[in-house]
Structure formats: C-alpha cells, structure tokens
Amino acid sequence: MYEGQQGSLFGCAQDDPIRPNREDDSSPGVKQALFDESADAILLFNPSWDIVSVNAAAVRMFGCDEDQMVDTHVLQWIVERNRARHLTEARAFIDGHIASVSHGRTDEAGALRSDGSEFPVEVTKSKIALGERLMYAVTVRDITERLKVRDELSAALSSMRDSVCVADARGGLVRFNDSFLSFHRLKSRAECQMPLDELMELFDVTTLDGGPVAVDQRLIPRALNGESGSGVEFRVRRKDTGESWVGSYSFSPIRNKLGAIVGAVVTGRDVTNEKDILSALKHSRAELRRLVAGQQGAAEDERKRIARELHDDLQQTLAALRLNVASLEQQSSAVSPSASQAATAALALSDCAILSTRRMISGLRPQVLDDFGLTEAITSVLRAFGDRTAVGHAMEVLGDVEAEMPSEVATCLFRILQESLQNVEKHARADHVHIQLDLSDPDQVVLQIRDDGVGIRAADFLKRQSFGVLGMEERARALGGTLKVVPGSVSGTAVEAVVPLRAGGSIPAGRTNKMTAGKPK
C-alpha cells in the first residue's frame, strides 16, 4: 500500500479535490469498491514509477499475486521493445501541468504476464489527487478478443466481393475493404485518407433516370438517421474521368448495446453489366413476343381463310352434291334396287362429309365467335365438349354479357379455353369442369377454368414436348395479360387468364348471370 493509507487505498482521503461537491459517490468506500470491482486492471504508481497498489483484475490479467507486482517498476510489465517509447511519453505526462481531474491518453501496447507471455492491451494514463498527494494510475484493458474480432472482420471484408465501408457517428470513413477501392475506381488506400465528404465530391450520384441525389439522401446520412434498406440503385460517375456505373446498395445503422446509433455500414455492388444484360434480355423477349404475336395473328388469319373457303366452297359443293345424290336416289328407286341402295349410301356419306366439314370449320374458327361473341362461343364449345366426353360442365358469367370485346381479346381467351379443355379431356380424368368468365371489371377480363381431376404436377411443366401451357401464356402475354396454372384448392387444376381490354372495349360493371349446361356428374 501507498505510505500512510492504513490498509485502505482511499482510507485517508477526507477531501476529494476531484469531486469536492459529490460526497455520495466520492466517499472512500465507494472509491475502494470501484477500484476493486473494475473489470480493467488498475496499476497505481508513485512519481518514482514504483507500483504501490493493484486491483484484483490486474492480478488476474498479469497472472501473479499482488505482492509480486507491488514495488516493481511499471515498465517491467511492458514488452521491452515498447518501453523506451512509453518512458518518454510517461515522463512528459508526469512533468506536465497537474489538473484537478483525471486525464490521460489511450493507445495500444504489448503487455507482459508474469510468465513472460505477451498480450495486447489498451492503456490509459491518469493523474489522481488524493488529498495533498499526487498519484498516477495506469488502466489496462486486455484487447485480445477485440483484435481477434477486428482481424476476423478485416479478413471477412477482404474476402468480400462487394464494396463495404463503415462510417462513424459523424459520418467519417473508419473502415473499408479493397472492393471499396475498385468499386469507386480508386487506385490506393491513400486516396481515402481525406474526409468522406471530400471523397464523395469526386463523384456525381444520380438516380437511374438521371435525377440528382441530395447529400442528405445518400446512404450514410440515411443510415445515421436510423434508416436501412437494400437493393437501392444509383448511377455513379467519376467527375475527373467521366466513367460511370450502376451500383446496387444495402445500408444500415450500427447500434451499441443501448440501441444508440454509433455508425453506419454500406455495401455496394457494380451491377452495370447485369443491367445491360437484363435490358438486352427484356428487349429480346419483347421482340420474341412480338414475333409470336405476329405468328399467332397470321395463324388466326390463315384459320379464318381456310374456314371461309371450307364454308363457301367445299361445304356448298357438298350440299349441292347431296341434293344431286338425293335426286338420284329418288329416281333410281323405281329403276333398280341396287342403284337405289348405292345412292342411299352415297347420301349418307355426303351427310357425314358435311358434318365433318362443319366440325373442321368450327375448330378452325367458330362462326359463332365472330357473329355472337365470346360468351356464346364458350357455350358452343362446352356443348361440343359435353357431347364427346362424360365430363360434367358448368359456365358462370359475371358482368355484362352484351358488352363489346375486342376481337383479339376474344380470340385469345377462346384459344386458351380450347387448350384447357383439351388438357382436361386428355389428362385430368375429371368428373366436372367449371368455367367462369368475369366481365365485371371495365379494364380487364378474367377467364377461369377449374376441374376436379388428378391435378397438374410441377414435373408436367418441365416436359420438353409440352407446349400447351407455354402457348397459353404467350397468348396472354402478347396482349399484356397473365396466365396462371396452379393446383386447385381441393383437387384438380385451375387455369386463370387475365387480359386487359383495349381502348374502346370498356365493360361496365353489371349483373351476374349464371348458365349451366351439360351432363350431370
């Protein structure tokens, strides 16, 4: 113990010049408790550099008994290579002006344990006035774990391909990785020694559409204000070289244990190439869809032409042929029984040919779609579907049935319905199919086809030779719409096509009509 303390480090301090007006927290007992319970090592020494007292944390940190440290020179516990520097600094500190409050400086130094092993520490030197006596204290903090974390953080930052920078609470740049340099087209870390505000003056930062980004709307100020975000994209341009690129950023505040913001972290990635590739891909897709839409339009026109020729030419020819055969049948019945039988057979064949032609015409382009609209066309298709299958069916129409619909929209939805019903017939093994046509929205029309069959599997979408769903999707997309094919809520499959209505095709909200046709389950 220091001479005259009588068993307690602060036992004789009747007056405390450090806090003369705070008797509640400057009493000897409180000071002794703070000394003994401190998590940091405290070494108290006199002007001769001899240690006069240490606390329990110092005993644990340096790995020795208190008696082994008391009366030893302070610098004995510092690694030899650092002693000269600390001696010079400590002399300047002791010989300096005596203040009435503790003061000191903090730095990193290597300390020595009693077994000779080294460990990194943070040292704070302070002056303490105990009554009329002046003492000196060294507070030592073991920063082994801190440096380990720092080294791990540095290694992690170095390995990251994204640009990372960490700012303090004042917005100053305190840490960054090599990717930060390459991202900002900087040649060396020396270029980052300037304040962050000055560093950012090297760049123009704008939104992707060219709008300027105010300083307070940049990411570090926003993070220091408590905001966080990801996927924020800015265009960055070097003012000196004119080089520009697009960065995708994430940012977040850094908070201490009490929740106070003590800094900010910002990560960035150069997505210029990805943007260019995405733009080219979007353009390519748009061109492909335009091509598909053109081909579909050409195919529809060709279907119309063939259907019209079948109707106007072949079907009329067959009708005339039937009339002639019927006349022959009447005339031959009185002349020759065998000729009459042949005429009757020819008449039956002509009837079959006419029916077959009608089916082909309807499959190519049902006249009812052009003459009476989508609702009647769906009803006609469902009737034919019921005639050739054992699947029950129902149709529900919401909205104004009489509203006009653009031809391309009606054709799109009609073809989607045809393809869906073919899938139900071939694959679903369903007992019932329900069609809903929603015309209640003036901006779009919705077609739903739901069946109660075995349902569609994810693997079905991956079949290389399966183009039905893909074709339906492209039909909807060509008109700016969407198509979803999903498992039904209970069983089966649900197909939903949503197609916007073109100008002039507005549909007023209206009544709900329900029509049911076909076989029961």
Side-chain angles (χ1 to χ4, degrees):
M1 293 296 179
Y2 183 61
E3 182 180 1
Q5 295 302 307
Q6 298 183 6
S8 174
L9 176 61
F10 298 102
C12 67
Q14 301 299 320
D15 298 313
D16 185 358
I18 300 176
R19 292 189 179 98
N21 299 320
R22 296 287 299 276
E23 294 182 359
D24 57 336
D25 63 354
S26 61
S27 63
V30 172
K31 287 187 174 183
Q32 184 69 46
L34 292 173
F35 180 78
D36 291 337
E37 299 300 325
S38 172
D40 295 332
I42 301 176
L43 283 61
L44 203 66
F45 63 96
N46 58 28
S48 299
W49 305 87
D50 296 325
I51 297 176
V52 297
S53 184
V54 297
N55 66 348
V59 171
R60 292 192 299 271
M61 186 178 297
F62 287 90
C64 61
D65 295 334
E66 180 180 357
D67 293 341
Q68 292 178 272
M69 297 191 72
V70 172
D71 293 332
T72 61
H73 198 281
V74 172
L75 295 183
Q76 176 180 330
W77 305 95
I78 299 294
V79 294
E80 187 173 358
R81 62 180 178 275
N82 291 340
R83 289 175 185 173
R85 176 173 63 85
H86 278 277
L87 180 61
T88 301
E89 293 178 356
R91 281 174 176 169
F93 175 72
I94 291 176
D95 295 339
H97 176 68
I98 298 176
S100 61
V101 295
S102 299
H103 65 93
R105 59 166 293 176
T106 302
D107 56 4
E108 292 181 7
L112 280 175
R113 295 188 178 91
S114 60
D115 61 3
S117 60
E118 298 183 13
F119 63 101
V121 294
E122 185 179 75
V123 177
T124 301
K125 305 178 184 71
S126 303
K127 297 178 182 180
I128 302 177
L130 300 176
E132 297 180 356
R133 299 181 182 277
L134 185 63
M135 300 292 291
Y136 303 93
V138 175
T139 302
V140 182
R141 177 171 296 174
D142 188 342
I143 58 173
T144 303
E145 289 301 318
R146 182 198 300 177
L147 294 184
K148 180 181 178 182
V149 171
R150 186 182 70 182
D151 292 342
E152 291 175 350
L153 176 61
S154 296
L157 291 179
S158 298
S159 66
M160 292 181 67
R161 298 178 61 185
D162 290 351
S163 163
V164 182
C165 70
V166 180
D168 59 24
R170 295 174 296 179
L173 187 64
V174 296
R175 189 176 293 277
F176 55 90
N177 62 354
D178 291 339
S179 296
F180 177 85
L181 300 177
S182 58
F183 178 82
H184 290 92
R185 280 55 173 178
L186 299 169
K187 296 179 180 178
S188 66
R189 289 180 171 266
E191 294 183 79
C192 299
Q193 297 304 312
M194 66 183 74
L196 184 60
D197 291 343
E198 295 182 18
L199 180 63
M200 290 297 101
E201 283 299 317
L202 299 175
F203 308 94
D204 279 329
V205 180
T206 64
T207 59
L208 296 187
D209 58 7
V213 179
V215 174
D216 61 348
Q217 289 302 306
R218 296 188 182 183
L219 303 183
I220 287 179
R222 288 172 61 181
L224 293 177
N225 283 331
E227 291 186 56
S228 59
S230 61
V232 179
E233 293 183 343
F234 291 139
R235 183 170 293 278
V236 185
R237 185 182 71 87
R238 282 287 300 251
K239 293 179 181 179
D240 51 353
T241 65
E243 184 179 6
S244 67
W245 60 95
V246 176
S248 178
Y249 299 89
S250 297
F251 64 100
S252 178
I254 300 173
R255 300 179 183 271
N256 62 16
K257 293 181 179 179
L258 300 178
I261 296 175
V262 296
V265 59
V266 177
T267 65
R269 177 179 298 178
D270 188 340
V271 295
T272 308
N273 290 338
E274 288 88 337
K275 285 287 182 183
D276 292 341
I277 293 172
L278 182 60
S279 177
L281 181 60
K282 286 182 178 179
H283 178 73
S284 176
R285 284 180 175 175
E287 289 296 301
L288 179 60
R289 285 175 184 157
R290 191 167 67 87
L291 176 62
V292 170
Q295 290 178 333
Q296 289 176 344
E300 288 296 334
D301 291 341
E302 184 67 9
R303 285 172 179 240
K304 284 183 181 181
R305 185 188 66 78
I306 295 174
R308 186 167 52 249
E309 290 186 359
L310 287 173
H311 178 270
D312 296 344
D313 189 358
L314 180 60
Q315 195 169 30
Q316 291 185 14
T317 301
L318 289 173
L321 179 63
R322 185 186 185 285
L323 291 175
N324 292 332
V325 172
S327 177
L328 268 175
E329 181 189 27
Q330 292 177 352
Q331 295 174 13
S332 63
S333 61
V335 178
S336 170
S338 60
S340 176
Q341 291 176 354
T344 301
L347 185 62
L349 287 174
S350 64
D351 287 339
C352 290
I354 290 173
L355 290 175
S356 178
T357 303
R358 287 177 181 173
R359 285 195 299 270
M360 285 189 289
I361 292 172
S362 179
L364 288 169
R365 179 74 181 184
Q367 192 68 28
V368 66
L369 180 63
D370 294 325
D371 294 342
F372 299 102
L374 180 62
T375 303
E376 290 301 324
I378 292 176
T379 302
S380 175
V381 169
L382 282 175
R383 189 181 301 114
F385 175 77
D387 289 342
R388 67 176 183 270
T389 69
V391 181
H393 57 275
M395 179 179 175
E396 179 183 19
V397 180
L398 307 178
D400 190 351
V401 180
E402 305 302 326
E404 294 184 2
M405 182 184 299
S407 173
E408 63 270 20
V409 174
T411 300
C412 170
L413 295 176
F414 181 78
R415 295 304 181 195
I416 290 174
L417 173 70
Q418 280 186 315
E419 183 67 35
S420 298
L421 291 179
Q422 287 180 13
N423 289 336
V424 172
E425 185 176 352
K426 293 179 180 178
H427 310 296
R429 301 202 295 273
D431 294 323
H432 193 268
V433 62
H434 182 271
I435 312 298
Q436 183 184 83
L437 182 65
D438 188 349
L439 305 169
S440 58
D441 191 325
D443 297 320
Q444 64 183 24
V445 58
V446 182
L447 175 67
Q448 290 183 343
I449 304 103
R450 300 189 301 272
D451 68 71
D452 60 357
V454 296
I456 194 167
R457 302 170 302 169
D460 295 331
F461 292 103
L462 303 178
K463 293 180 179 178
R464 298 190 57 162
Q465 301 303 319
S466 179
F467 300 106
V469 173
L470 182 60
M472 291 191 291
E473 288 178 342
E474 288 304 321
R475 284 187 179 274
R477 287 173 180 168
L479 297 181
T482 60
L483 183 130
K484 293 189 298 184
V485 181
V486 297
S489 57
V490 178
S491 63
T493 302
V495 177
E496 180 183 82
V498 182
V499 180
L501 293 167
R502 305 292 184 179
S506 61
I507 302 174
R511 60 189 180 276
T512 299
N513 298 320
K514 294 186 178 181
M515 296 175 287
T516 303
K519 302 179 181 69
K521 284 189 177 182

